[in-house]
Amino acid sequence: MPATPTETTAPFMLLQGRVESRRVLRPAPDGPRMEISFSAALTSTQLGPGSAACSFIGHLGPDGHYQWQGRGALFLSAGTVTARSRGQGQRRGNTIVYQGAMVFRSHASALQWLDGLQASFEYVQDLASLDVTVRCEEASAAETAHPSTPQKGPSPC
């Protein structure tokens, strides 16, 4: 059986941090909503080390799945990059797991190759410790302006 990408390759980007705040919002007609904000250390062989600050709003639907959308800022030695994300997930025991897609926007000339880049990711939050891990993978193997990076294209968000 072939190895999965997570078994053979380093992620495009890995965030490891902790939830800083949770805020209950006015509920939607069919379920509760909450805003989650977290800070994280960032590691990436392509971007170098850095940090991230992210926030998203999740809505729990009647089927037990969360729908969410978020924004974040990545602080790197070469400059700042922002990201928008969208996806869905569900609670698994004492953990919430979301899968989704994100798109990047560069605010530094050295990082312009990130503009419009898309990537898939998985967000895992431990509900007891509030620890967060986000593993961001390449969206496809399509060639881009920078080797081994996620595909450019219209925003999924």
Side-chain angles (χ1 to χ4, degrees):
M1 178 190 308
T4 63
T6 58
E7 293 171 340
T8 60
T9 60
F12 170 67
M13 179 176 63
L14 182 67
L15 303 176
Q16 293 180 298
R18 185 170 166 79
V19 170
E20 300 289 336
S21 71
R22 297 179 287 181
R23 186 170 66 114
V24 176
L25 303 173
R26 180 181 298 244
D30 61 345
R33 294 182 330 139
M34 182 176 274
E35 179 181 41
I36 306 288
S37 297
F38 70 94
S39 298
L42 180 152
T43 55
S44 170
T45 57
Q46 295 172 14
L47 302 174
S51 63
C54 305
S55 218
F56 62 89
I57 293 176
H59 166 250
L60 179 60
D63 64 354
H65 285 84
Y66 290 90
Q67 300 291 323
W68 53 264
Q69 57 185 344
R71 294 188 179 271
L74 312 177
F75 305 102
L76 307 165
S77 61
T80 301
V81 175
T82 53
R84 291 182 298 147
S85 61
R86 174 167 278 178
Q88 68 176 7
Q90 64 186 33
R91 184 175 179 161
R92 296 181 188 164
N94 202 35
T95 304
I96 293 180
V97 179
Y98 298 126
Q99 287 91 23
M102 66 175 64
V103 64
F104 301 97
R105 182 168 185 262
S106 168
H107 301 276
S109 59
L111 297 169
Q112 283 183 343
W113 62 272
L114 285 166
D115 282 340
L117 212 58
Q118 293 183 42
S120 63
F121 70 94
E122 181 175 71
Y123 169 99
V124 179
Q125 177 189 327
D126 183 287
L127 293 171
S129 68
L130 300 179
D131 289 340
V132 171
T133 300
V134 180
R135 184 179 178 98
C136 180
E137 302 291 347
E138 296 181 12
S140 78
E143 288 188 19
T144 62
H146 193 272
S148 302
T149 57
Q151 178 180 352
K152 286 190 173 190
S155 169
C157 305

